[in-house]
Amino acid sequence: MAGHVPGAFEEHVETVALVACELVTNAIRYGTEPGDSLRVVLDANEGRTRVEVHDPVRRHSRRRRPSDERERGRGLFLLDALCPQSWGVGDVPFRKAVYLPAAWATRFT
């Protein structure tokens, strides 16, 4: 992303990378079966960033109750911490998309 949006703060680029990794990890764990594919969309310019991950499972992502017994299941809480109340889930043909809308984390020099 840094090469496509040269004015982006390093912190912003790192946050976008972390969010994209978290969305992909969630899609692999909860939205695919062996042989399935994902689609990752990263749209960035000087005023906005949007990350989308599409997977073939139509069931929408949801927060789970935190648990000290489980080692996973905290990804959506991480997204809320990085981008409060900004992410969402929508239906696309034959898939679902988990996304962060264009209005979040726009800090440019």
Side-chain angles (χ1 to χ4, degrees):
M1 185 180 107
H4 296 285
V5 188
F9 281 101
E10 184 176 338
E11 177 185 343
H12 178 75
V13 174
E14 290 173 359
T15 299
V16 169
L18 178 60
V19 165
C21 288
E22 187 58 41
L23 290 177
V24 168
T25 299
N26 286 351
I28 290 170
R29 280 195 173 152
Y30 305 111
T32 60
E33 295 181 8
D36 287 344
S37 62
L38 301 174
R39 178 177 184 210
V40 178
V41 178
L42 178 62
D43 183 21
N45 64 31
E46 293 175 359
R48 65 185 177 88
T49 303
R50 181 179 175 94
V51 179
E52 292 182 13
V53 176
H54 301 208
D55 68 59
V57 172
R58 302 288 305 242
R59 183 181 63 251
H60 284 205
S61 303
R62 62 182 172 78
R63 288 176 200 86
R64 302 169 95 186
R65 288 182 170 256
S67 169
D68 292 334
E69 297 173 15
R70 285 193 314 263
E71 292 185 17
R72 55 188 215 187
R74 295 174 182 83
L76 297 179
F77 290 104
L78 176 63
L79 293 181
D80 276 338
L82 293 169
C83 314
Q85 303 300 315
S86 295
W87 64 272
V89 182
D91 294 321
V92 294
F94 308 109
R95 306 178 156 277
K96 76 164 177 290
V98 181
Y99 60 88
L100 291 167
W104 73 273
T106 52
R107 287 181 41 196
F108 293 91
T109 56

